[in-house]
Every structure is written in structure tokens, then in C-alpha cells.
Amino acid sequence: VALPAGGVARRSRELAGQMRAIPISKERHQMLAQAQIEEFHRNCFLTVPGLFSAQEVATLRADLDTDMQETGPFVIREGKSDIVRAVYAPHQRRRSYADLVTDARLLGAVQQMQAGGLYLYQLKVNTKLPFIGEDWAWHYDYAVWGAVDGLARPDLISVAVFLDDVTEFNGPMVFVPGSHRIYQDRPLSGVGGHKAHVEPDDFAPTTAEMQAMVNDSGLVAPKGKAGSVLFFNASVVHGSATNISPFSRRLAIVTYNAVDNLPAPGRQRADYIVCPPTAALTVRQPAPRQPEAVA
Ligand code: HL5
Ligand code: SIN
Ligand code: MN
């Protein structure tokens, strides 16, 4: 078939033009649709079901089980008991948690939500065990991180990876949607001198403030299967109830901070609670596929 003169050249010029129109970047991954990003900015949280496979969740659970046997200041107990409430910084000890930090499904998505470089601020698992996992008081995270660590801005996004099915029974996180719009101007009381884990109780809104916010905006408790992911910003009011069910509710929570939003001088807490600043993280390329087993 004879092509019209110049046809191939024209077609390749068109292709080159189309390719230039598609932004190509090694660091920015299109994990989320525009509608999801808009939902996140409107509500301050976003749930994405089914991001991690059963196999990946099993590995994270197994590594947590190992980590929960450790003794160290990074294991937080319920009250004065020896029941584990939270484990901080498993990424410092377990490969599967280290890998989460630069996983495209977390970091790539958060990069779409917040411009600028990000570093890891905190990584923990809140274990909320069957029958005994205690509540978390109402708070927004920047109330703590602004007052305790002296961060200048609430430019942090947390990602909770569900290690269990989260249901109405096992103490899901509960949010006041869009509460940053109502609540962000509350002055931060300067509570200093913390070296380790801070419980949010001292940073809770008053009951009158909670009543007004909930009258205005209601409450939402995102639920989903293990392997689902919940993004939330540092300004949204949240809390969760005691787990009276026979089901555990383990959440691995990875928090990213803007690289230019550092703890105030002299206020850097222990590095298992607030990670030392690093250069901006980049998304880890997916591991090469294992070759198929030959039968
Ligand atoms: N326990 C965290 C810290 O940094 C603060 C809480 O949900 C985050 C309020 O000590
Ligand atoms: C919870 O585990 O329910 C609370 C998590 C948080 O406050 O970040
Ligand atoms: Mn919180």
C-alpha cells in the first residue's frame, strides 16, 4: 500500500506532540482519580478499598506479631496493663513496613494530594485488640504535633492501612467531615516537654465544641475490608471507641510531613515517635515480578 508522501512523518510528528502533552515524571504517580482527590480535600479523608492483597496483609500481620513480642519503649501498653495498644516504628525493624513508606499506593497518592517534598514523620500500628482495645479521645493530629513538636503548619497526611476488616463493631476511626474548616483556628496550647508517645486526651475539643461541629457536619466512620486504605489530613477531628467485639482492629498508620515543616529546635522527640527529617522521599518502583513457577 502506497502511503501519501509525508504521511509517516506527519503521523510521527502528531505522536510526538501527543506524547509531549502527557506529563511524564518519574516521581509523580497517578494513583488516584481527580474525583478522589477532590473528595479528600472536601472531607479531609478518603477511603480506597482493596489496595493491598491478602498476601501483603498477611505479611504485615506476621511481621507485627513478631514485633509485638519485642520489648522496648516503642511498644505502648493499654493503661498499666501489658496489653499492647500501639507499636511505633516497625519500619525500623521489619522490611514489610519499611517498604510501605515508599509504596506508590501510599506515597504516590499523598504526592497527588499535597504538592512539595515529603518525609516520613511517624509510622505506628494501633493494635486495638479484641474485647480490650481502648478508645482514642477526639482530637486532630496537628493539635498535638503543633503544640508538642512545634510544627509551623498542618501540612501532614496520614495513611491508615487496614490490617483487619474494619466494621461498626471493632472500634473504627470516626471523623467529623470537613472539620478543618470549622476548627483549624483554635489556638494551640503549648504543651511541651514530651519525649515519647502522647495520648490525645489533653488535646480534645470541649464537649460544646464537639456538639457544634457534629451538628454542623455529622460523623462518618469509614469501614472496609483488610487491605483497604484510609487517607486523612492533620486538621480533621477524629477519635474511636473501645473495641468490645471479638475482632481485632489493627491499623498501620503512616504519616508524611512536608520537608520544610520541621519540629522546632530542641523539640525533636525520640526517633521511634517522630522520625528525624530526611530528604524528600521518592516512590519505590514496584519489585520485579517473580518468574512463574514451572509445573
Ligand atoms: N500519639 C501521637 C504522637 O505523636 C499523637 C496522636 O494520632 C496521633 C494524637 O505522640
Ligand atoms: C485510632 O487508632 O483509632 C486512632 C488513630 C489516630 O488518632 O490517628
Ligand atoms: Mn490521630
Side-chain angles (χ1 to χ4, degrees):
V1 178
L3 288 168
V8 171
R10 188 172 64 238
R11 181 76 191 119
S12 70
R13 271 198 308 276
E14 283 169 16
L15 275 176
Q18 284 165 16
M19 283 165 67
R20 266 197 302 279
I22 302 167
I24 297 170
S25 160
K26 282 208 186 90
E27 325 241 304
R28 300 279 148 177
H29 291 245
Q30 301 301 309
M31 297 306 304
L32 301 175
Q34 192 56 33
Q36 290 174 299
I37 297 168
E38 284 162 16
E39 181 181 333
F40 175 79
H41 289 305
R42 190 165 58 245
N43 290 339
C44 307
F45 64 89
L46 172 75
T47 315
V48 184
L51 277 192
F52 285 81
S53 70
Q55 179 59 56
E56 290 174 304
V57 171
T59 302
L60 291 165
R61 285 182 185 172
D63 279 354
L64 174 65
D65 287 345
T66 311
D67 221 36
M68 282 170 70
Q69 309 305 316
E70 303 258 358
T71 47
F74 47 84
V75 182
I76 309 299
R77 314 279 166 176
E78 300 281 13
K80 299 222 176 320
S81 75
D82 54 13
I83 294 152
V84 175
R85 174 166 174 77
V87 179
Y88 276 87
H91 66 289
Q92 293 174 353
R93 299 172 297 276
R94 312 280 160 218
R95 165 93 325 211
S96 60
Y97 286 89
D99 284 349
L100 273 187
V101 175
T102 53
D103 191 296
R105 290 164 288 185
L106 278 64
L107 178 59
V110 172
Q111 285 176 335
Q112 286 183 270
M113 295 168 165
Q114 182 175 299
L118 300 164
Y119 75 100
L120 178 68
Y121 190 69
Q122 187 169 87
L123 197 164
K124 63 193 175 236
V125 181
N126 289 348
T127 45
K128 205 176 267 202
L129 294 178
F131 298 115
I132 44 182
E134 296 279 359
D135 65 304
W136 293 86
W138 293 115
H139 66 284
Y140 64 104
D141 291 341
Y142 182 65
V144 180
W145 296 330
V148 171
D149 303 325
L151 301 188
R153 304 189 312 273
D155 294 351
L156 310 96
I157 295 178
S158 294
V159 192
V161 179
F162 294 6
L163 302 186
D164 295 296
D165 295 352
V166 175
T167 68
E168 62 269 52
F169 306 117
N170 61 356
M173 290 182 71
V174 182
F175 292 86
V176 185
S179 47
H180 65 304
R181 286 191 296 269
I182 311 158
Y183 203 55
Q184 65 188 351
D185 295 332
R186 192 173 195 259
L188 296 170
S189 46
V191 185
H194 289 93
K195 294 273 177 284
H197 167 76
V198 174
E199 284 291 334
D201 302 60
D202 290 345
F203 300 85
T206 65
T207 53
E209 286 170 327
M210 276 310 296
Q211 185 74 64
M213 275 188 275
V214 175
N215 285 351
D216 188 83
S217 303
L219 293 172
V220 177
K223 281 156 264 193
K225 292 280 182 199
S228 302
V229 164
L230 166 64
F231 299 88
F232 58 101
N233 73 18
S235 303
V236 67
V237 173
H238 59 276
S240 66
T242 303
N243 183 10
I244 58 170
S245 84
F247 313 111
S248 60
R249 191 233 59 178
R250 293 164 291 186
L251 300 180
I253 303 181
V254 182
T255 300
Y256 300 97
N257 187 15
V259 285
D260 59 351
N261 189 40
L262 303 180
R267 299 237 233 141
Q268 176 73 45
R269 282 187 281 165
D271 70 5
Y272 66 87
I273 293 278
V274 172
C275 304
T278 64
L281 297 167
T282 56
V283 167
R284 181 170 48 86
Q285 298 309 311
R289 270 174 160 278
Q290 296 297 315
E292 298 286 329
V294 180

